[in-house]
Amino acid sequence: PCKGCASRSRYRRAATLVVAAFGVLWWPRLACAGAWLNAMTQILGASVATANPDNVLFFIPDISGFTKFVTETEVSHSQHIIQELLELIVDANQLGLEVSEFEGDAVLFVRPGAPPSLDELLAQARKMFVDFHSHIKRIEILRTCACGACSSVHCLSLKFVAHCGPAKTMQVKGHSKFIGKSIIVAHR
């Protein structure tokens, strides 16, 4: 890290890239461009040649406002809307990411091996974000129902977390689960 960074552990903790709306980057605890560049290299790897074959990209589109939406509205309508939005996120996948699991309000996508470029990752996040909000607009415009879920769908948004690092899989009762520090960091 450069002189502007307090410690190496500080930028390691910040090594999770959060891609917010329309590709705006937010790097918690990074004070300078040098640390940002170091963290980018750590996350995405300097090149395919130096990439660790055990690396896995964890890409998590997460619906903001989910808990309030589901707990304060009619379950039959909120369930239908959330299902549509999660399916839309999966259908917008352009990078060949694998769905590892659905986590309530999020989809855990994985991609073993070399990660995509930052431009590809941002384009993926942008497509999912635009498709998500376009669908919400359609629901608002075409709704014929005045229930709480249909009238408050505009309160939902989408955020993204991406982290790349070494991880292994284990089998638990026929289900494949990731294990390792990287999956923990991605979920923080």
Side-chain angles (χ1 to χ4, degrees), residues 99-135:
V99 175
S100 177
E101 63 184 284
F102 292 92
E103 301 175 332
D105 62 342
V107 182
L108 173 60
F109 286 105
V110 297
R111 179 171 151 171
S117 71
L118 180 58
D119 287 341
E120 291 172 321
L121 197 58
L122 290 174
Q124 178 62 80
R126 188 174 291 117
K127 174 158 180 45
M128 288 178 175
F129 186 89
V130 169
D131 289 359
F132 181 93
H133 284 282
S134 295
H135 190 72

Side-chain angles (χ1 to χ4, degrees), residues 4-20:
C5 300
S7 71
R8 181 170 292 278
S9 65
R10 184 175 176 183
Y11 98 81
R12 281 192 187 133
R13 280 194 313 267
T16 298
L17 167 67
V18 178
V19 182

Side-chain angles (χ1 to χ4, degrees), residues 154-182:
H154 67 277
C155 295
L156 298 174
S157 191
L158 194 61
K159 63 182 178 275
F160 301 87
V161 176
H163 181 78
C164 188
K168 296 288 185 184
T169 57
M170 63 179 177
Q171 293 296 315
V172 179
K173 293 284 192 178
H175 297 276
S176 183
K177 296 290 289 179
F178 281 93
I179 188 167
K181 183 179 178 181
S182 293

